[in-house]
């Protein structure tokens, strides 16, 4: 196992993605340490606020990680406090990189999770890493700013950046679209309010995403920015049909104009060519399979 005897640090370990990344890194032989802002009694966990530079320095010195997966972020686009996006996603990330740089322990790699939101939703077709960025909200702007800031450290630290497209799975909060849909079907709800259901999006299963992350840590594409996506799109209408088929339940779909984004691109798809060139053949389960897993669990 390539991580045998080594230490991994996951920031935001108690978030949706963190649990899955921790399991995958453990399976690869790493001893996994977690960083989070809330108290927890789990083993090898440190409660540290990324805005507390001094505590962060102490945590890095204590753990002495060989790899870091930086997931900690304000991730929900509809989060009400714009300042929080910049404080956590930009300043918090800078504090982390500064603490790592100050540490005497050499690192193999740092994965910084950005977001495909940096591309915006005004360009259709298949989006590659060379597609011009066009962030349309504070979340996306903060993630792009984080990318630029991280590049300032690229000559000093072994950094690479991932841009995941939509991904989902058991445990994702139901203020995200597919978990919201799943929740309504599990509860046999009579009705759901949605935005435009005739839009096509690229969805990845969180279990496949974490395998891609760990494979990237093994390959160490330092200095690179890499899309993590399926390269296949499904419409929200198809997702509804899959849920109906799996559960045998149908509900009324009401389109709420407040949920419809103006000038929204009908089809957004990621290009995973670069990812597969780095880690080899990689696939995500079909969306119907992921939705079935979500409907049966959690």
């Amino acid at each position: 196992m390539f991580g045998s005897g080594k230490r991994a640090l996951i920031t935001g370990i108690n978030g949706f993605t963190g649990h899955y990344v921790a399991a995958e890194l453990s399976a690869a032989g790493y001893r996994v340490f977690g960083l989070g802002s809330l108290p927890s009694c789990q083993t090898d966990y440190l409660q540290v606020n990324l805005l507390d530079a001094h505590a962060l320095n102490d945590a890095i010195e204590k753990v002495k990680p060989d790899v870091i997966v930086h997931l900690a972020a304000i991730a929900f686009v509809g989060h009400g406090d714009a300042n929080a996006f910049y404080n956590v996603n930009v300043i918090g990330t800078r504090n982390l990189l500064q603490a790592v740089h100050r540490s005497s322990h050499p690192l193999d790699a740092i994965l910084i999770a950005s977001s495909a939101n940096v591309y915006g939703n005004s360009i259709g077709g298949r989006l590659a890493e060379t597609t011009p960025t066009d962030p349309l909200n504070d979340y996306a702007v903060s993630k792009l700013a984080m990318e630029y800031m991280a590049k300032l450290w690229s000559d000093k630290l072994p950094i690479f950046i991932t841009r995941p497209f939509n991904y989902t799975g058991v445990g994702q909060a139901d203020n995200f679209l597919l978990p919201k849909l799943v929740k309504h079907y599990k509860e046999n709800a009579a009705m759901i309010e949605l935005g435009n259901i005739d839009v096509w999006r690229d969805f990845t299963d969180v279990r496949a995403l974490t395998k891609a992350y760990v494979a990237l840590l093994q390959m160490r594409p330092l200095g690179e920015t890499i899309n993590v996506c399926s390269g296949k799109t499904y419409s929200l209408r198809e997702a509804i049909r899959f849920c109906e088929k799996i559960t045998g339940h149908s509900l009324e779909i009401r389109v709420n104009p407040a949920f419809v984004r103006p000038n929204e691109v009908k089809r957004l798809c990621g290009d995973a060519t670069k990812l597969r060139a780095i880690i080899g053949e990689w696939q995500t389960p079909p969306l119907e399979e992921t939705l079935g897993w979500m409907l049966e669990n959690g």
Side-chain angles (χ1 to χ4, degrees):
M1 292 186 289
F2 81 94
S4 184
K6 294 195 172 187
R7 294 178 164 214
L9 177 64
I10 302 172
T11 71
I13 194 168
N14 287 331
F16 166 53
T17 319
H19 296 291
Y20 292 97
V21 175
E24 198 68 32
L25 283 169
S26 292
Y30 283 93
R31 179 178 172 184
V32 177
F33 292 79
L35 214 65
S37 59
L38 299 174
S40 171
C41 57
Q42 67 200 81
T43 309
D44 290 335
Y45 175 84
L46 295 89
Q47 183 183 354
V48 178
N49 189 317
L50 289 177
L51 299 179
D52 185 343
H54 182 72
L56 204 46
N57 290 338
D58 291 346
I60 296 297
E61 280 303 323
K62 181 176 181 180
V63 175
K64 292 182 168 54
D66 297 291
V67 298
I68 294 174
V69 181
H70 180 42
L71 303 174
I74 303 293
F76 181 55
V77 173
H79 185 77
D81 181 5
N83 289 338
F85 288 126
Y86 298 99
N87 285 335
V88 176
N89 298 352
V90 184
I91 305 302
T93 301
R94 190 185 186 283
N95 287 344
L96 175 68
L97 296 179
Q98 188 164 30
V100 171
H101 185 242
R102 283 176 175 160
S103 171
S104 57
H105 186 74
L107 269 149
D108 295 335
I110 305 172
L111 183 160
I112 297 179
S114 182
S115 169
N117 273 272
V118 300
Y119 297 118
N121 65 357
S122 59
I123 302 169
R126 197 175 290 271
L127 307 182
E129 292 84 356
T130 53
T131 301
T133 52
D134 184 23
L136 297 176
N137 52 52
D138 283 300
Y139 169 73
V141 171
S142 75
K143 282 293 194 178
L144 187 57
M146 179 191 72
E147 289 189 19
Y148 279 112
M149 182 275 300
K151 287 182 189 300
L152 299 176
W153 296 86
S154 59
D155 60 335
K156 307 178 191 75
L157 295 171
I159 294 168
F160 65 90
I161 294 167
T162 60
R163 286 178 179 166
F165 281 65
N166 295 311
Y167 64 96
T168 192
V170 174
Q172 188 175 34
D174 57 26
N175 50 7
F176 289 88
L177 180 59
L178 292 185
K180 174 184 175 179
L181 193 62
V182 164
K183 182 173 185 281
H184 278 70
Y185 276 95
K186 286 175 80 169
E187 293 175 350
N188 291 319
M191 182 273 292
I192 186 171
E193 288 191 342
L194 298 169
N196 187 354
I197 61 173
D198 290 309
V199 291
W200 280 256
R201 293 294 180 263
D202 188 322
F203 292 104
T204 297
D205 187 304
V206 67
R207 297 167 295 183
L209 174 120
T210 55
K211 287 183 186 301
Y213 277 10
V214 173
L216 285 167
L217 286 169
Q218 185 172 11
M219 300 309 296
R220 302 178 70 238
L222 306 184
E224 298 292 336
T225 300
I226 306 120
N227 286 343
V228 180
C229 52
S230 70
K232 177 179 173 58
T233 58
Y234 296 89
S235 71
L236 182 51
R237 191 180 290 274
E238 283 178 287
I240 292 165
R241 193 173 72 246
F242 291 149
C243 289
E244 283 193 2
K245 177 182 169 186
I246 294 163
T247 63
H249 175 67
S250 61
L251 47 74
E252 180 190 353
I253 309 295
R254 289 185 190 167
V255 176
N256 184 334
F259 297 163
V260 177
R261 296 175 186 168
N263 306 317
E264 188 169 32
V265 166
K266 275 202 171 281
R267 190 180 299 272
L268 277 177
C269 184
D271 185 341
T273 302
K274 185 174 181 178
L275 174 67
R276 292 191 175 105
I278 295 168
I279 68 171
E281 186 54 36
W282 169 87
Q283 298 293 338
T284 185
L287 182 59
E288 185 173 2
E289 186 180 314
T290 302
L291 288 170
W293 170 52
M294 293 167 70
L295 284 160
E296 289 161 17
N297 294 276

